């Protein structure tokens, strides 16, 4: 990992840009919470920069810049199964996903990607709406990832 160039005073070589990237998956279903619930992801594939908190489910921007986030969800394979999840930035919904498999009983899944301008300390997380279900298991159907595109 590049920590930047440590040169002599007046040396104009550019330093390395910061690297911030995470990717995580959920291995358990989340059943109909009584209130909106932050989704946590127990299997962290990568967390360079340490900005994703596995316990809270929140990404906290360590540097200001432009970030990309991708999240997805999946219904259960029973009739009238649905989920509603939202990508939240500092308590403001930025994108949502909703699936309802109706009478088919088949699994439905969807994903979304959002580009956001973040300040240092901004929080970004996925939230499941009250009373909805989010399906996942050891196959890791539900994921959440993000990375810094450009630091300010």
């Amino acid at each position: 990992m590049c920590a930047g160039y440590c040169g002599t005073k007046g040396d104009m070589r550019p330093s390395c840009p910061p690297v911030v990237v995470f990717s995580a998956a959920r291995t358990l279903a989340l059943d109909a919470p009584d209130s909106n619930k932050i989704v946590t992801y127990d299997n962290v594939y990568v967390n360079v920069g340490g900005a994703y908190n596995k316990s809270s489910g929140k990404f906290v921007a360590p540097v200001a810049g432009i970030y990309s986030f991708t999240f997805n969800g999946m219904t259960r394979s029973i009739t009238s199964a649905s989920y509603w999840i939202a990508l939240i930035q500092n308590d403001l919904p930025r994108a949502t996903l909703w699936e309802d498999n109706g009478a088919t009983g088949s699994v439905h899944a969807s994903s979304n990607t959002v580009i956001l301008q973040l300040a240092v300390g901004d929080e970004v997380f996925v939230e499941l709406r009250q009373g909805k279900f989010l399906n996942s298991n050891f196959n890791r159907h539900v994921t959440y990832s993000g990375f810094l595109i450009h630091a300010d």
Side-chain angles (χ1 to χ4, degrees):
M1 184 168 168
C2 184
Y5 177 76
C6 296
T8 58
K9 186 175 181 179
D11 190 344
M12 299 305 289
R13 285 188 265 184
S15 62
C16 294
V19 177
V20 181
V21 60
F22 79 97
S23 184
R26 186 170 174 86
T27 60
L28 299 169
L30 192 53
D31 295 332
D34 293 335
S35 60
N36 291 355
K37 181 172 180 60
I38 296 173
V39 179
T40 57
Y41 299 81
D42 56 301
N43 190 324
V44 178
Y45 298 115
V46 64
N47 192 13
V48 177
Y52 176 71
N53 184 310
K54 178 179 171 178
S55 298
S56 70
K58 292 182 177 183
F59 171 88
V60 180
V63 297
I66 300 171
Y67 289 81
S68 175
F69 294 93
T70 299
F71 64 110
N72 70 332
M74 188 172 83
T75 66
R76 294 186 169 181
S77 58
I78 58 174
T79 59
S80 299
S82 66
Y83 69 85
W84 183 297
I85 56 177
L87 186 75
I88 308 293
Q89 177 190 359
N90 299 331
D91 298 322
L92 297 172
R94 296 301 187 193
T96 60
L97 291 173
W98 178 76
E99 285 284 348
D100 187 331
N101 66 3
T104 68
S106 61
V107 172
H108 287 202
S110 58
S111 65
N112 208 337
T113 299
V114 180
I115 308 296
L116 297 173
Q117 178 81 43
L118 300 183
V120 172
D122 279 359
E123 295 180 334
V124 180
F125 53 92
V126 177
E127 187 174 75
L128 177 64
R129 182 168 281 184
Q130 172 186 351
K132 299 297 180 183
F133 296 88
L134 192 58
N135 188 28
S136 197
N137 58 31
F138 62 91
N139 288 314
R140 300 176 179 111
H141 301 293
V142 176
T143 60
Y144 174 40
S145 301
F147 61 92
L148 175 65
I149 296 171
H150 186 273
D152 287 346

